[in-house]
Amino acid sequence: MEEKLVGSTLEQFEAYVKDMLFLKKADANMYSPLVLAYIGDAVYELIIRTIIVNHGNCPVNRMHKESSSLVKASAQAEMVHLIMEELTERERAIYKRGRNAKSATAAKNATITDYRTATGFEALVGYLYLNGEKERLIELVGHALQKKGIFGESTSKFVSML
């Protein structure tokens, strides 16, 4: 019952924002992989920052360092490798489209392989977000973080990092 209430509240909030800002319904299939990665980058960072803030009040500099370590290209590349076997055929196709997209920007502090893999991950995140598949998005990110040993049933490792 509580999950349904939370879900409907989130849906109500999103509907309110779309209405107030005159936003049209987004069809994730109509966007290029790089546009999906653009929004996916922001959504993924918001998820990570939300988790970090939720796990304790500490100096913002420490929060920033921890979130940066989880959103950098090499960390995103690791995330997608951890969940690859869980992806559906459609999700893999979206990831591959993002990974193979030709970007005008270059990796700053990452290998080209990690950068392209991270772009594929971000495209998948963006697709799931725009397509309204937020539960699936959180499920995949949560599984990757658990497999990475960052958090799960026991958050002690994560909290000690902060």
Side-chain angles (χ1 to χ4, degrees):
M1 170 110 178
E2 183 179 334
E3 287 181 21
K4 183 65 174 167
L5 179 63
V6 171
S8 66
T9 304
L10 177 60
E11 289 168 10
Q12 290 170 350
F13 174 73
E14 288 176 343
Y16 176 76
V17 169
K18 287 178 182 178
D19 186 51
M20 294 303 293
L21 297 176
F22 307 103
L23 301 177
K24 60 185 178 185
K25 181 168 172 36
D27 180 1
N29 294 306
M30 300 304 294
Y31 293 106
S32 76
L34 294 177
V35 170
L36 294 175
Y38 173 75
I39 191 73
D41 177 55
V43 170
Y44 178 67
E45 181 147 3
L46 182 59
I47 291 168
I48 294 301
R49 285 184 181 207
T50 301
I51 292 168
I52 288 172
V53 167
N54 186 259
H55 280 89
N57 193 6
C58 70
V60 174
N61 185 40
R62 284 188 16 210
M63 288 183 178
H64 174 71
K65 286 180 182 177
E66 185 56 34
S67 67
S68 294
S69 75
L70 294 170
V71 299
K72 65 184 179 181
S74 60
Q76 290 182 4
E78 183 183 359
M79 295 282 282
V80 81
H81 291 303
L82 290 170
I83 60 170
M84 186 60 70
E85 63 192 35
E86 298 176 44
L87 299 181
T88 65
E89 190 173 313
R90 178 179 58 97
E91 291 166 345
R92 280 190 186 147
I94 294 160
Y95 156 73
K96 287 178 182 178
R97 280 183 55 223
R99 182 196 64 196
N100 295 335
K102 302 293 183 224
S103 174
T105 59
K108 293 177 195 166
N109 298 311
T111 67
I112 190 66
T113 302
D114 280 351
Y115 184 75
R116 293 183 125 201
T117 302
T119 301
F121 176 72
E122 291 169 347
L124 175 59
V125 169
Y127 179 87
L128 293 171
Y129 173 76
L130 289 176
N131 211 35
E133 298 180 50
K134 293 166 188 80
E135 285 183 30
R136 177 66 174 155
L137 170 59
I138 298 302
E139 175 186 350
L140 289 172
V141 170
H143 285 176
L145 290 172
Q146 286 175 336
K147 288 180 178 183
K148 195 172 166 82
I150 299 225
F151 89 107
E153 291 181 27
S154 170
T155 60
S156 59
K157 180 177 180 184
F158 186 78
V159 173
S160 70
M161 296 168 91
L162 296 174

PDB file of all heavy atoms in Angstrom, residues 71-85:
ATOM      1  N   VAL A  71      30.032   8.887 -10.316  1.00  0.00           N
ATOM      2  CA  VAL A  71      29.449   9.330 -11.587  1.00  0.00           C
ATOM      3  C   VAL A  71      30.489   9.513 -12.685  1.00  0.00           C
ATOM      4  O   VAL A  71      30.116   9.761 -13.834  1.00  0.00           O
ATOM      5  CB  VAL A  71      28.605  10.624 -11.427  1.00  0.00           C
ATOM      6  CG1 VAL A  71      27.449  10.394 -10.486  1.00  0.00           C
ATOM      7  CG2 VAL A  71      29.440  11.791 -10.999  1.00  0.00           C
ATOM      8  N   LYS A  72      31.751   9.374 -12.372  1.00  0.00           N
ATOM      9  CA  LYS A  72      32.773   9.509 -13.413  1.00  0.00           C
ATOM     10  C   LYS A  72      32.650   8.352 -14.409  1.00  0.00           C
ATOM     11  O   LYS A  72      32.049   7.310 -14.113  1.00  0.00           O
ATOM     12  CB  LYS A  72      34.167   9.589 -12.808  1.00  0.00           C
ATOM     13  CG  LYS A  72      34.623   8.341 -12.079  1.00  0.00           C
ATOM     14  CD  LYS A  72      35.974   8.576 -11.436  1.00  0.00           C
ATOM     15  CE  LYS A  72      36.427   7.338 -10.697  1.00  0.00           C
ATOM     16  NZ  LYS A  72      37.718   7.551 -10.049  1.00  0.00           N
ATOM     17  N   ALA A  73      33.204   8.544 -15.576  1.00  0.00           N
ATOM     18  CA  ALA A  73      33.042   7.589 -16.674  1.00  0.00           C
ATOM     19  C   ALA A  73      33.479   6.176 -16.304  1.00  0.00           C
ATOM     20  O   ALA A  73      32.775   5.205 -16.615  1.00  0.00           O
ATOM     21  CB  ALA A  73      33.815   8.070 -17.910  1.00  0.00           C
ATOM     22  N   SER A  74      34.603   6.038 -15.630  1.00  0.00           N
ATOM     23  CA  SER A  74      35.082   4.690 -15.290  1.00  0.00           C
ATOM     24  C   SER A  74      34.119   3.985 -14.340  1.00  0.00           C
ATOM     25  O   SER A  74      33.889   2.777 -14.458  1.00  0.00           O
ATOM     26  CB  SER A  74      36.487   4.746 -14.688  1.00  0.00           C
ATOM     27  OG  SER A  74      36.499   5.533 -13.510  1.00  0.00           O
ATOM     28  N   ALA A  75      33.510   4.729 -13.409  1.00  0.00           N
ATOM     29  CA  ALA A  75      32.549   4.131 -12.479  1.00  0.00           C
ATOM     30  C   ALA A  75      31.269   3.739 -13.210  1.00  0.00           C
ATOM     31  O   ALA A  75      30.693   2.677 -12.948  1.00  0.00           O
ATOM     32  CB  ALA A  75      32.231   5.100 -11.346  1.00  0.00           C
ATOM     33  N   GLN A  76      30.814   4.584 -14.134  1.00  0.00           N
ATOM     34  CA  GLN A  76      29.628   4.252 -14.913  1.00  0.00           C
ATOM     35  C   GLN A  76      29.875   3.038 -15.803  1.00  0.00           C
ATOM     36  O   GLN A  76      28.995   2.189 -15.958  1.00  0.00           O
ATOM     37  CB  GLN A  76      29.182   5.439 -15.758  1.00  0.00           C
ATOM     38  CG  GLN A  76      28.616   6.563 -14.946  1.00  0.00           C
ATOM     39  CD  GLN A  76      28.146   7.715 -15.804  1.00  0.00           C
ATOM     40  OE1 GLN A  76      28.172   7.663 -17.031  1.00  0.00           O
ATOM     41  NE2 GLN A  76      27.708   8.780 -15.158  1.00  0.00           N
ATOM     42  N   ALA A  77      31.066   2.956 -16.367  1.00  0.00           N
ATOM     43  CA  ALA A  77      31.410   1.800 -17.192  1.00  0.00           C
ATOM     44  C   ALA A  77      31.366   0.526 -16.351  1.00  0.00           C
ATOM     45  O   ALA A  77      30.852  -0.510 -16.790  1.00  0.00           O
ATOM     46  CB  ALA A  77      32.797   1.983 -17.815  1.00  0.00           C
ATOM     47  N   GLU A  78      31.883   0.605 -15.146  1.00  0.00           N
ATOM     48  CA  GLU A  78      31.832  -0.545 -14.241  1.00  0.00           C
ATOM     49  C   GLU A  78      30.381  -0.906 -13.910  1.00  0.00           C
ATOM     50  O   GLU A  78      30.014  -2.083 -13.870  1.00  0.00           O
ATOM     51  CB  GLU A  78      32.611  -0.249 -12.960  1.00  0.00           C
ATOM     52  CG  GLU A  78      32.649  -1.416 -12.011  1.00  0.00           C
ATOM     53  CD  GLU A  78      33.371  -1.111 -10.703  1.00  0.00           C
ATOM     54  OE1 GLU A  78      33.870   0.020 -10.517  1.00  0.00           O
ATOM     55  OE2 GLU A  78      33.428  -2.022  -9.852  1.00  0.00           O
ATOM     56  N   MET A  79      29.565   0.109 -13.688  1.00  0.00           N
ATOM     57  CA  MET A  79      28.151  -0.124 -13.356  1.00  0.00           C
ATOM     58  C   MET A  79      27.464  -0.922 -14.459  1.00  0.00           C
ATOM     59  O   MET A  79      26.759  -1.891 -14.173  1.00  0.00           O
ATOM     60  CB  MET A  79      27.417   1.213 -13.167  1.00  0.00           C
ATOM     61  CG  MET A  79      27.892   2.038 -11.998  1.00  0.00           C
ATOM     62  SD  MET A  79      27.276   1.476 -10.429  1.00  0.00           S
ATOM     63  CE  MET A  79      25.642   2.141 -10.486  1.00  0.00           C
ATOM     64  N   VAL A  80      27.661  -0.512 -15.693  1.00  0.00           N
ATOM     65  CA  VAL A  80      26.966  -1.186 -16.791  1.00  0.00           C
ATOM     66  C   VAL A  80      27.467  -2.620 -16.949  1.00  0.00           C
ATOM     67  O   VAL A  80      26.691  -3.525 -17.255  1.00  0.00           O
ATOM     68  CB  VAL A  80      27.046  -0.381 -18.106  1.00  0.00           C
ATOM     69  CG1 VAL A  80      28.348  -0.580 -18.824  1.00  0.00           C
ATOM     70  CG2 VAL A  80      25.889  -0.731 -19.023  1.00  0.00           C
ATOM     71  N   HIS A  81      28.740  -2.855 -16.703  1.00  0.00           N
ATOM     72  CA  HIS A  81      29.265  -4.227 -16.767  1.00  0.00           C
ATOM     73  C   HIS A  81      28.651  -5.095 -15.676  1.00  0.00           C
ATOM     74  O   HIS A  81      28.414  -6.289 -15.885  1.00  0.00           O
ATOM     75  CB  HIS A  81      30.794  -4.241 -16.678  1.00  0.00           C
ATOM     76  CG  HIS A  81      31.463  -3.658 -17.888  1.00  0.00           C
ATOM     77  ND1 HIS A  81      31.261  -4.133 -19.163  1.00  0.00           N
ATOM     78  CD2 HIS A  81      32.332  -2.621 -18.012  1.00  0.00           C
ATOM     79  CE1 HIS A  81      31.958  -3.421 -20.021  1.00  0.00           C
ATOM     80  NE2 HIS A  81      32.620  -2.497 -19.353  1.00  0.00           N
ATOM     81  N   LEU A  82      28.386  -4.508 -14.515  1.00  0.00           N
ATOM     82  CA  LEU A  82      27.803  -5.255 -13.399  1.00  0.00           C
ATOM     83  C   LEU A  82      26.355  -5.671 -13.652  1.00  0.00           C
ATOM     84  O   LEU A  82      25.897  -6.671 -13.108  1.00  0.00           O
ATOM     85  CB  LEU A  82      27.892  -4.433 -12.109  1.00  0.00           C
ATOM     86  CG  LEU A  82      29.290  -4.241 -11.534  1.00  0.00           C
ATOM     87  CD1 LEU A  82      29.268  -3.216 -10.397  1.00  0.00           C
ATOM     88  CD2 LEU A  82      29.861  -5.562 -11.047  1.00  0.00           C
ATOM     89  N   ILE A  83      25.644  -4.899 -14.463  1.00  0.00           N
ATOM     90  CA  ILE A  83      24.227  -5.200 -14.703  1.00  0.00           C
ATOM     91  C   ILE A  83      23.939  -5.721 -16.104  1.00  0.00           C
ATOM     92  O   ILE A  83      22.787  -5.993 -16.429  1.00  0.00           O
ATOM     93  CB  ILE A  83      23.342  -3.958 -14.423  1.00  0.00           C
ATOM     94  CG1 ILE A  83      23.754  -2.800 -15.326  1.00  0.00           C
ATOM     95  CG2 ILE A  83      23.357  -3.601 -12.950  1.00  0.00           C
ATOM     96  CD1 ILE A  83      22.782  -1.615 -15.294  1.00  0.00           C
ATOM     97  N   MET A  84      24.953  -5.884 -16.919  1.00  0.00           N
ATOM     98  CA  MET A  84      24.750  -6.269 -18.317  1.00  0.00           C
ATOM     99  C   MET A  84      23.876  -7.519 -18.452  1.00  0.00           C
ATOM    100  O   MET A  84      22.980  -7.569 -19.300  1.00  0.00           O
ATOM    101  CB  MET A  84      26.105  -6.480 -19.018  1.00  0.00           C
ATOM    102  CG  MET A  84      25.973  -6.733 -20.502  1.00  0.00           C
ATOM    103  SD  MET A  84      25.180  -5.386 -21.414  1.00  0.00           S
ATOM    104  CE  MET A  84      26.422  -4.137 -21.332  1.00  0.00           C
ATOM    105  N   GLU A  85      24.108  -8.512 -17.616  1.00  0.00           N
ATOM    106  CA  GLU A  85      23.334  -9.758 -17.713  1.00  0.00           C
ATOM    107  C   GLU A  85      21.867  -9.562 -17.319  1.00  0.00           C
ATOM    108  O   GLU A  85      21.018 -10.380 -17.680  1.00  0.00           O
ATOM    109  CB  GLU A  85      23.967 -10.851 -16.861  1.00  0.00           C
ATOM    110  CG  GLU A  85      23.977 -10.520 -15.376  1.00  0.00           C
ATOM    111  CD  GLU A  85      24.852 -11.445 -14.562  1.00  0.00           C
ATOM    112  OE1 GLU A  85      25.888 -11.878 -15.067  1.00  0.00           O
ATOM    113  OE2 GLU A  85      24.479 -11.720 -13.408  1.00  0.00           O
TER     114      GLU A  85
END
